[in-house]
Amino acid sequence: GERLAPVLVKGPGIPRGSLLTSDSTRRAGLVLNTDVSATVLGLFDLSGTGLEGQAAEGELMPERMGYLFGERDRIVNTYVQRPGVLYPYVSYQVIVLILSLILLFLRAKTFFPWMRPLLLGICIAPLALLVLPLFGASSLAETRLILVSLTVALALAFLSIRSDLLLMFVCLGGAVNLLLVGQLIINSWLLKHSFLSYDPIMGARFYGIGNEYMGVFVGTAILLAASAVQRFPQQRRLLLYLGTGWF
């Protein structure tokens, strides 16, 4: 899984002992292979046309080597474990949704209460995957164990207010939305290292919010707005304004 190559640059504009970064990645210690040509041209005060990369620059920071190797380990760990984490989650979704459709078709209402926690687990898993990097799991087995434990714990917490289903959806949608927005406001550390987010080794994205969590954000925002309007009808107009502004 180690597909990151070391890059060393010495020249004007690159402080001694700094970590390379560029506008392509906006992450200290990480540049693209396409940045190399733009960097070389920049060192000689030359400009090129049709270059995809951006010139690298140095960023000074304390404990730079510890940070660099820590980032490398986290990036590689995410890349290696990602299939073993996401494939079972997707399989779980497919199985639960198909089973739910079968029970609905058969009108087997006796089993509906048993399906609610399983369906809730689908909604909660993205939240658990977002906070999962905080635990620093090093092996796939450890990652799976922590992920399942987090999902179950969060599900139990939300199910504690299952007597008010709309309020539960308001809390779930609000928690996911606030956490994602908070990550975008600060350094997006959780988004950078979540299995459901982007992967620098694959080169899909390096900063901001990825396609997966943008989908989660939009879905939970709709869930939050729709549930809040129904749960608090006396504040309907205000909530509609707030929801429109949020989008």
Side-chain angles (χ1 to χ4, degrees), residues 1 3-5 24-33 71-80 82 189 191-195 197-207:
R3 297 190 178 185
L4 300 174
S24 299
T25 64
R26 302 182 188 179
R27 296 174 66 166
L30 189 64
V31 295
L32 301 183
N33 54 0
E71 280 292 285
R72 181 205 63 184
D73 291 343
R74 282 186 286 269
I75 290 172
V76 172
N77 186 58
T78 299
Y79 174 76
V80 172
R82 179 187 296 272
W189 190 87
L191 284 170
K192 291 175 182 177
H193 301 292
S194 172
F195 292 102
S197 194
Y198 34 80
D199 183 355
I201 292 181
M202 296 178 64
R205 186 182 290 269
F206 303 92
Y207 56 88

Side-chain angles (χ1 to χ4, degrees), residues 63-183:
E63 303 292 337
R64 64 183 185 280
M65 296 310 295
Y67 167 85
L68 183 63
F69 287 114
E71 280 292 285
R72 181 205 63 184
D73 291 343
R74 282 186 286 269
I75 290 172
V76 172
N77 186 58
T78 299
Y79 174 76
V80 172
Q81 294 190 32
R82 179 187 296 272
V85 173
L86 295 186
Y87 289 172
Y89 171 52
V90 173
S91 300
Y92 170 81
Q93 290 186 66
V94 172
I95 293 172
V96 171
L97 291 176
I98 290 177
L99 182 58
S100 299
L101 288 174
I102 292 174
L103 292 177
L104 283 172
F105 180 76
L106 297 177
R107 298 182 180 180
K109 296 183 179 181
T110 305
F111 297 96
F112 285 4
W114 295 95
M115 295 304 300
R116 289 173 184 169
L118 299 179
L119 290 167
L120 184 62
I122 295 177
C123 301
I124 288 177
L127 177 59
L129 284 165
L130 185 59
V131 300
L132 184 61
L134 293 173
F135 296 85
S138 56
S139 67
L140 179 58
E142 185 180 1
T143 298
R144 286 174 171 174
L145 178 60
I146 295 175
L147 176 59
V148 171
S149 301
L150 275 174
T151 303
V152 171
L154 289 170
L156 291 174
F158 284 110
L159 284 172
S160 65
I161 52 176
R162 65 181 179 273
S163 57
D164 192 334
L165 192 61
L166 290 174
L167 182 60
M168 183 181 73
F169 287 146
V170 169
C171 293
L172 176 58
V176 175
N177 268 230
L178 289 176
L179 186 56
L180 286 174
V181 171
Q183 277 295 292

Side-chain angles (χ1 to χ4, degrees), residues 20 49 53 76 116 153 200 239:
L20 292 178
T49 58
V76 172
R116 289 173 184 169
L239 290 171

Side-chain angles (χ1 to χ4, degrees), residues 228-229 231-242:
V229 168
R231 177 61 176 76
F232 306 102
Q234 67 278 13
Q235 304 294 335
R236 179 183 179 89
R237 177 170 296 183
L238 174 61
L239 290 171
L240 288 175
Y241 287 143
L242 291 175

